[in-house]
Amino acid sequence: MPFPREEIEATVERYVETRKVIDGGGAGWSALAQYFTDDAVFIDPAWGRVQGIEEMKATVFGDAMVGLDEWKFPVEFYAIDGDNVVIKWKQILPGRRDDGRAYEQSGVSTLIYAGNGKFRYEEDLLNMVHVFEDMRESKCKVPPVAVPPKHPNRDFSRPGA
């Protein structure tokens, strides 16, 4: 039986608002940790499977975001189906192309709600070839700490209920 839609929607609204604060420079990515259970699983397109909130804080909310302070990740919309949430967002790099357009890529996150204002799973999908092409063209550099592991765990399976 899914959690009440109103509860999920209220959590998603807070999550999206926190992302806006992060984009505005008012908080770091670790501010999203409050929305995940201690045993949550996060699937990142570059870093792979990350298990547990402490590991998430160290990687996908930590090292993975070092040097990306000027990048923006605005949410376009979200949809809720049972305990599943899909959030459509963009990733926007600093700078502009010669024609004035932004360096941006399309991303989608799928989350599973766990109750009490927390998610137990997030899977981010992003075309990393597109990201790297835009990084090269924009001459964007990230510090070595932000480089993902050479052989990340690509298991995107959802944890048991």
Side-chain angles (χ1 to χ4, degrees):
M1 184 82 180
F3 290 93
R5 182 181 174 85
E6 299 77 25
E7 178 183 342
I8 298 169
E9 189 162 14
T11 301
V12 172
E13 288 288 335
R14 288 191 305 273
Y15 174 92
V16 168
E17 190 56 37
T18 300
R19 287 179 61 131
K20 288 178 187 175
V21 171
I22 293 166
D23 270 354
W29 284 96
S30 62
L32 289 180
Q34 66 185 304
Y35 297 102
F36 292 90
T37 61
D38 289 345
D39 61 348
V41 172
F42 195 108
I43 310 298
D44 183 86
W47 291 71
R49 185 182 191 90
V50 178
Q51 293 188 244
I53 195 65
E54 293 307 317
E55 191 61 25
M56 289 166 61
K57 287 178 188 176
T59 58
V60 295
F61 299 148
D63 289 349
M65 303 311 288
V66 171
L68 308 185
D69 302 329
E70 295 180 36
W71 295 36
K72 304 297 177 208
F73 301 84
V75 171
E76 294 182 320
F77 68 87
Y78 65 83
I80 300 170
D81 181 31
D83 292 338
N84 295 293
V85 176
V86 175
I87 298 177
K88 172 69 177 75
W89 46 275
K90 289 193 277 187
Q91 176 172 278
I92 305 171
L93 282 65
R96 294 277 177 185
R97 298 174 188 281
D98 290 340
D99 65 5
R101 290 181 300 124
Y103 294 101
E104 62 183 8
Q105 305 87 43
S106 177
V108 177
S109 297
T110 302
L111 298 96
I112 302 174
Y113 189 68
N116 298 318
K118 296 186 182 274
F119 300 101
R120 62 185 179 91
Y121 180 85
E122 179 171 339
E123 178 183 12
D124 288 358
L125 298 176
L126 185 66
N127 181 335
M128 292 306 295
V129 172
H130 187 185
V131 174
F132 293 138
E133 288 171 351
D134 281 358
M135 287 177 70
R136 261 192 311 278
E137 188 176 328
S138 70
K139 298 180 179 42
C140 177
K141 301 281 187 222
V142 295
V145 70
V147 176
K150 195 170 201 140
H151 302 287
N153 179 350
R154 296 292 182 202
D155 174 12
F156 59 90
S157 63
R158 295 170 168 221

